[in-house]
């Protein structure tokens, strides 16, 4: 059985809410998601990151598009990048994409 995960991620990658605000938000989300028919439970976790961290969607990632040249970016390149930063996170989102060599930001890529 697979799980469905909804991640709420700030648009500013350097921002995180204060703990009290995160707790209030989690409480509101809990009220809005009472569970599914048949007894499926809803679990809400608030996760904090000390560094810039990719929230990976795993097998749900279909493709990554380049916003500059429109090409599909090799997901193996993406996987290698995540693996290289899995322990320490990212110091910056700056990246040079392999398709056209353009300097851009990881949050500017077109994730499908
Ligand atoms: Zn490109």
């Amino acid at each position: 059985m697979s799980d469905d995960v909804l991640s709420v991620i700030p648009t500013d990658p350097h921002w995180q809410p204060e703990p009290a605000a995160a707790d209030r938000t989690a409480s509101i989300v809990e009220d809005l998601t009472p569970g599914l028919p048949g007894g499926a439970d809803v679990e809400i976790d608030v996760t904090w990151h000390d560094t810039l961290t990719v929230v990976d969607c795993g097998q749900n990632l279909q493709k990554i598009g380049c916003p500059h040249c429109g090409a599909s970016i090799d997901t193996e390149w993406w996987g290698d990048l995540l693996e290289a930063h899995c322990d320490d996170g990212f110091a910056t989102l700056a990246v040079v994409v392999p398709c056209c060599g353009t300097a851009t930001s990881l949050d500017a890529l077109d994730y499908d």
Side-chain angles (χ1 to χ4, degrees):
M1 188 172 105
S2 64
D3 293 330
D4 291 318
V5 177
L6 172 65
S7 298
V8 178
I9 303 168
T11 55
D12 178 350
H14 299 280
W15 181 86
Q16 294 189 90
E18 294 296 323
D23 289 343
R24 285 193 307 273
T25 303
S27 179
I28 291 169
V29 172
E30 192 170 358
D31 289 345
L32 294 172
T33 54
L36 299 174
D41 290 328
V42 174
E43 181 180 319
I44 299 172
D45 295 323
V46 177
T47 305
W48 303 93
H49 300 281
D50 294 330
T51 60
L52 292 170
T53 304
V54 170
V55 178
D56 188 13
C57 65
Q59 295 178 342
N60 289 327
L61 179 63
Q62 299 294 311
K63 66 179 181 177
I64 302 171
C66 175
H68 300 282
C69 73
S72 285
I73 295 175
D74 184 0
T75 54
E76 204 165 301
W77 171 84
W78 173 248
D80 290 346
L81 187 66
L82 293 188
E83 190 173 315
H85 293 273
C86 69
D87 290 332
D88 300 329
F90 289 84
T92 173
L93 295 179
V95 67
V96 175
V97 287
C99 47
C100 59
T102 300
T104 185
S105 179
L106 288 173
D107 59 339
L109 302 182
D110 184 17
Y111 301 94
D112 184 10

